[in-house]
Amino acid sequence: QAATRVNGDRAGAVSVASWRNHDKAPYRVAEWALANNTNVDFFGGGQMAPPGCREIAYDAMPDVLARYQTFVYLPTVIEPFGRLVAEAWAAGCEVVTNRLVGARYWIEGRSEAIENAAEDFWKLVMNA
C-alpha cells in the first residue's frame, strides 16, 4: 500500500538491517554502491551500523522502502529467511542480494507463496 502512495517517484538505494554484528556486512553494501556508482542510504541500529546510518521505527518501514528504487542486502552468513528482503520486494523495490538469503528462494521461484514463506520455513524446520 505504501508503494502506491509514492506514485512512482522512487529513486536511490537503501539497506536496512539490525547492524549488530559484522556478518550483516554493511561494507559489502558499500562496495556494491561504489561498483555501481550509487549512493546507499542505511537504516537500522546496532554497534556495527555504518556511518550516517539512521534509526527507524518498524512501522515507518513501508513508507521508507516505498521511496527507494533498490534495496541492497549482502550478508556474509546464511540468513534463513530475511524478512526485510521480502518486505522490500513486496514494497516494489528491485532487490539486490546473494544466495545466503532464504527469501530469495520465494522471490525468484515461488513469489505467489511469499506471504506464508516465513511460516512455511519454520514449519519445515520444526517438523524436521
Side-chain angles (χ1 to χ4, degrees), residues 37-97:
N37 197 30
T38 302
N39 290 326
V40 176
D41 293 334
F42 288 92
F43 289 90
Q47 64 269 22
M48 299 299 293
C53 189
R54 292 172 272 177
E55 294 274 347
I56 182 170
Y58 182 74
D59 44 341
M61 192 65 61
D63 289 323
V64 168
L65 292 173
R67 292 193 322 245
Y68 290 91
Q69 183 68 35
T70 307
F71 179 86
V72 185
Y73 182 60
L74 300 165
T76 58
V77 298
I78 293 173
E79 182 81 38
F81 183 67
R83 184 177 76 202
L84 275 169
V85 172
E87 290 179 7
W89 176 78
C93 294
E94 168 189 288
V95 173
V96 175
T97 191

Side-chain angles (χ1 to χ4, degrees), residues 73 78-87 89 95-122 124:
Y73 182 60
I78 293 173
E79 182 81 38
F81 183 67
R83 184 177 76 202
L84 275 169
V85 172
E87 290 179 7
W89 176 78
V95 173
V96 175
T97 191
N98 56 29
R99 298 218 178 268
L100 296 174
V101 178
R104 185 174 171 172
Y105 165 79
W106 278 273
I107 291 169
E108 291 179 351
R110 298 194 52 220
S111 59
E112 76 287 347
I114 199 162
E115 282 189 33
N116 299 320
E119 182 180 332
D120 292 346
F121 169 80
W122 286 110
L124 179 67

